[in-house]
């Protein structure tokens, strides 16, 4: 359980494993969500994409303007860029 006021980070990845029939793939996210164990990577990536599209859309005033420097994904709000005014076309 997260404390009030904290942001849940979503950093999904595909995890590879092995079972009795061969390689397996599974989508896992740092938020605790995980998909079913799949036989192909493409199926696990589809689970991952479904998780990302189910996330709430970030309001325009909270979107990150420099995701690489601020270590943000498109589905995560940015506390550094939130409520800042634009620099007149720069």
């Amino acid at each position: 359980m997260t404390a009030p006021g904290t942001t849940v980070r979503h950093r999904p990845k595909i995890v590879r494993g092995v079972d009795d029939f061969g390689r397996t793939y599974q989508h896992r996210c740092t938020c605790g969500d995980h998909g079913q164990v799949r036989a192909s990577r493409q199926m696990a990536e589809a689970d991952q994409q479904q998780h990302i599209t189910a996330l709430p859309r970030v309001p325009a005033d909270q979107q990150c303007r420099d995701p690489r420097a601020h270590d943000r994904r498109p589905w995560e709000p940015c506390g550094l860029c939130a409520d800042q005014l634009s620099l007149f076309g720069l």
Side-chain angles (χ1 to χ4, degrees):
M1 182 93 184
T2 60
T6 60
T7 304
V8 175
R9 306 264 331 238
H10 294 274
R11 298 298 168 103
K13 63 181 177 178
I14 303 296
V15 178
R16 188 172 66 181
V18 178
D19 66 2
D20 295 339
F21 303 107
R23 289 187 182 150
T24 62
Y25 300 90
Q26 184 182 30
H27 146 74
R28 291 189 188 162
C29 185
T30 55
C31 71
D33 183 62
H34 57 85
Q36 294 180 359
V37 175
R38 304 289 190 169
S40 73
R41 184 174 186 87
Q42 289 81 11
M43 294 171 68
E45 287 172 350
D47 290 343
Q48 179 179 8
Q49 191 61 34
Q50 184 179 11
H51 173 65
I52 291 170
T53 57
L55 295 173
R57 187 162 168 82
V58 178
D61 64 334
Q62 294 180 10
Q63 290 178 353
C64 190
R65 295 180 185 153
D66 193 1
R68 181 173 285 185
H70 297 166
D71 191 30
R72 293 288 173 212
R73 304 298 188 267
W75 55 83
E76 295 177 325
C78 181
L80 296 171
C81 295
D83 301 323
Q84 289 187 3
L85 299 174
S86 63
L87 294 175
F88 305 108
L90 290 180

